[in-house]
């Protein structure tokens, strides 16, 4: 564990040098990219080797190869540099028109697929240099209710692993967070066009069909099964897949049926030849909310993106 004396020896430029040498696998090419002399790069590598107590890069006739220790350090060092750039960027005045920042939004793909198109259109007009990373998140367990199921994303927001989460959230978030409702979402039963169930969407027929369930963990039991159990009924979950986009392709080519978000299906059904019918049983309805922390909103860039999401993701904006 580094103490204050060790930290005082660390030059952030050495971490940048490490990253570039790792990418180039050649001291001369790394030097050219960094606008340094090869000897300056070699000197920096020497300091890094002493600091980290490892050779880090071994010379070969064609350049250098990283040691096992260097490969282990690659991801943590890249993360340090990314976070450092983020900290520095937040200290600068934010101008959407000229900004080249990258923001991270976490969401289930059934949600991000709905808000991304209008968001990207707005960015193209007002912030052409801003980039977005979307982080796929799904509940860590089978969804039976939206109550508290998304709480695990809150620590990631506080740690700035993501700037904003867009998730179903029907309960109030803790006081240190801010949530804004974007749109209401519910589920329909989706299937390929011409599927027999579309002509006879009864509960009896529903229980007789083979089902696809979206589950990150592969757990096929969810809120639908709770309701069926209360009625003394069951269904067969013939397949689980880890995300909603995967589900679209599978049900378009099989006789499987699936409960999918209504807004999501409305946007993509025509591309996959799918139809949706009203469910013959109660399914989850929830508010889709953008959530971030009050601390993050002190960053003018995050506050701007939060406002933009609220404007563009409303039903009137998504159609």
């Amino acid at each position: 564990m580094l103490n204050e004396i060790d930290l005082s020896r660390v030059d952030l430029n050495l971490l940048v040098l490490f990253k570039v040498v790792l990418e180039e696998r050649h001291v001369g090419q790394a030097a050219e990219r960094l606008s340094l002399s090869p000897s300056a790069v070699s000197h920096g590598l020497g300091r890094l080797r002493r600091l980290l107590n490892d050779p880090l890069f071994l010379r070969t006739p064609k350049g250098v190869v990283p040691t096992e220790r260097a490969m282990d350090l690659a991801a943590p060092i890249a993360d340090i540099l990314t976070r450092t750039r983020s900290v520095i960027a937040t200290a600068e005045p934010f101008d959407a028109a000229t900004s080249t920042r990258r923001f991270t939004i976490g969401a289930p793909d059934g949600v991000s697929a709905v808000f991304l198109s209008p968001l990207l259109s707005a960015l193209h007009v007002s912030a052409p240099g801003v980039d977005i990373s979307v982080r796929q998140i799904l509940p860590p367990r089978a969804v039976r209710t939206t109550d508290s199921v998304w709480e695990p994303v809150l620590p990631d927001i506080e740690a700035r692993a993501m700037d904003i989460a867009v998730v179903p959230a029907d309960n109030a978030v803790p006081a240190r967070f801010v949530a804004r409702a974007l749109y209401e979402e519910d589920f329909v039963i989706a299937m390929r066009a011409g599927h027999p169930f579309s002509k006879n969407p009864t509960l009896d027929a529903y229980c007789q069909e083979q089902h696809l369930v979206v589950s990150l963990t592969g757990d096929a039991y969810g809120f639908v099964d709770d309701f069926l159990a209360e009625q003394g009924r069951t269904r067969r979950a013939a397949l689980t897949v880890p995300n909603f986009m995967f589900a679209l392709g599978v049900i378009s080519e099989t006789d499987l049926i699936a409960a999918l978000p209504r807004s999501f299906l409305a946007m993509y059904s025509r591309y996959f030849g799918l139809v949706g019918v009203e469910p013959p049983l109660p399914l989850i309805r929830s508010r889709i909310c953008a959530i971030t922390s009050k601390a993050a909103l002190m960053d003018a860039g995050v506050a701007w993106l939060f406002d933009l999401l609220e404007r563009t993701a409303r039903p009137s904006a998504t159609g």
Side-chain angles (χ1 to χ4, degrees), residues 168-180:
D170 291 316
N171 290 344
V173 297
R176 63 188 185 279
F177 293 91
V178 176
R180 293 182 187 170

Side-chain angles (χ1 to χ4, degrees), residues 35-48:
S35 299
L36 297 172
S37 67
S39 62
V41 172
S42 296
H43 177 70
L45 286 176
R47 291 175 61 192
L48 267 176

Side-chain angles (χ1 to χ4, degrees), residues 40-238:
V41 172
S42 296
H43 177 70
L45 286 176
R47 291 175 61 192
L48 267 176
R49 289 171 177 135
R50 292 189 294 272
L51 180 66
L52 299 175
N53 195 31
D54 188 87
L56 297 178
F57 298 97
L58 304 177
R59 292 187 180 276
T60 73
K62 294 184 178 181
V64 295
V65 295
T67 64
E68 183 177 352
R69 172 67 172 154
M71 294 303 296
D72 289 341
L73 290 169
I77 287 177
D79 184 59
I80 289 170
L81 294 174
T82 297
R83 290 173 182 269
T84 301
R85 291 189 187 98
S86 178
V87 169
I88 294 172
T90 62
E92 299 174 348
F94 181 79
D95 179 0
T98 59
S99 176
T100 57
R101 281 184 63 179
R102 176 177 294 275
F103 297 94
T104 299
I105 303 174
D109 68 313
V111 172
S112 59
V114 173
F115 71 71
L116 265 180
S117 180
L119 176 64
L120 292 176
S121 295
L123 290 176
H124 179 72
V125 173
S126 62
V130 167
D131 295 322
I132 300 293
S133 292
V134 177
R135 176 178 168 182
Q136 162 77 335
I137 53 176
L138 282 173
R141 58 186 184 276
V143 177
R144 291 166 176 76
T145 170
T146 56
D147 295 346
S148 305
V149 74
W150 297 102
E151 284 183 2
V153 306
L154 300 183
D156 285 343
I157 296 173
E158 288 191 302
R160 298 303 292 272
M162 63 182 79
D163 297 294
I164 299 169
V166 183
V167 294
D170 291 316
N171 290 344
V173 297
R176 63 188 185 279
F177 293 91
V178 176
R180 293 182 187 170
L182 303 183
Y183 61 93
E184 296 282 332
E185 185 64 284
D186 63 350
F187 284 72
V188 294
I189 308 302
M191 68 215 74
R192 62 171 177 79
H195 194 293
F197 182 73
S198 64
K199 300 177 182 177
N200 183 38
T202 65
L203 185 56
D204 285 339
Y206 179 83
C207 293
Q208 292 170 8
E209 294 294 341
Q210 294 187 35
H211 297 256
L212 178 148
V213 176
V214 177
S215 169
L216 183 63
T217 63
D219 182 354
Y221 190 95
F223 69 93
V224 170
D225 301 284
D226 285 336
F227 172 81
L228 292 176
E230 293 173 359
Q231 307 297 314
R233 297 172 180 266
T234 61
R235 64 170 178 168
R236 178 185 171 191

